Amino acid sequence: AQSVTQPDIHITVSEGASLELRCNYSYGATPYLFWYVQSPGQGLQLLLKYFSGDTLVQGIKGFEAEFKRSQSSFNLRKPSVHWSDAAEYFCAVGARGYSTLTFGKGTMLLVSP
Amino acid sequence: ETGVTQTPRHLVMGMTNKKSLKCEQHLGHNAMYWYKQSAKKPLELMFVYSLEERVENNSVPSRFSPECPNSSHLFLHLHTLQPEDSALYLCASSQADNREAYGYTFGSGTRLTVV
């Protein structure tokens, strides 16, 4: 079965600084990988996804993620964080032929002025 | 209206009450999901419906009863809940035959408090 690890529960970044959120997955074949963002009291919004091809994926709101098979990682990055990016971020993994996604426990991003 | 809509947004119920959560999607998807999100715990998959058939039930207590009358609507019927059932309940939908291309679309959730 697949699994997802987000090692950081909380991260604080200064506004304007760069951001990297870590995600490691465990799966025997090529996974399908997703990043979602959740603002307080809201549902999850899809930021970006990876299925195949180019390992650097561009998403909405200026986010990108890079799939590194050798490290079993799919880290989320943003070059300059805005205060509105403060939220909880979830990495998820899926597999062809499997009906559901497996989510990590999430990383809470705090943005300081 | 587009996207996934959940009602009500907030619900407070006693342990002896019966209530229902509603989810509606206008995306033309054919799979729908219920997730439970509790503080400090990962998202817990509860039920999966694909083409209106329940295809997955993750050992959820019988006090939670799902219903999917058609591909656009999903309900979660609640009865004799416990305080530990207080959580954010999220509905999601996807295109089951090509889900990997789209991932899930989530609703805003129902915040349930059991008193």
Side-chain angles (χ1 to χ4, degrees), chain B residues 22-40:
Chain B
K22 179 182 177 182
C23 177
E24 187 173 1
Q25 59 96 2
H26 302 276
L27 300 167
H29 289 166
N30 57 13
M32 298 185 78
Y33 312 79
W34 279 117
Y35 277 87
K36 177 183 178 183
Q37 187 177 34
S38 306
K40 302 186 187 305

Side-chain angles (χ1 to χ4, degrees), chain B residues 22-59:
Chain B
K22 179 182 177 182
C23 177
E24 187 173 1
Q25 59 96 2
H26 302 276
L27 300 167
H29 289 166
N30 57 13
M32 298 185 78
Y33 312 79
W34 279 117
Y35 277 87
K36 177 183 178 183
Q37 187 177 34
S38 306
K40 302 186 187 305
K41 294 177 73 174
L43 281 163
E44 300 174 59
L45 177 66
M46 301 176 73
F47 301 104
V48 180
Y49 275 84
S50 179
L51 300 173
E52 300 160 35
E53 289 189 29
R54 190 189 313 180
V55 296
E56 195 159 332
N57 175 347
N58 269 4
S59 303

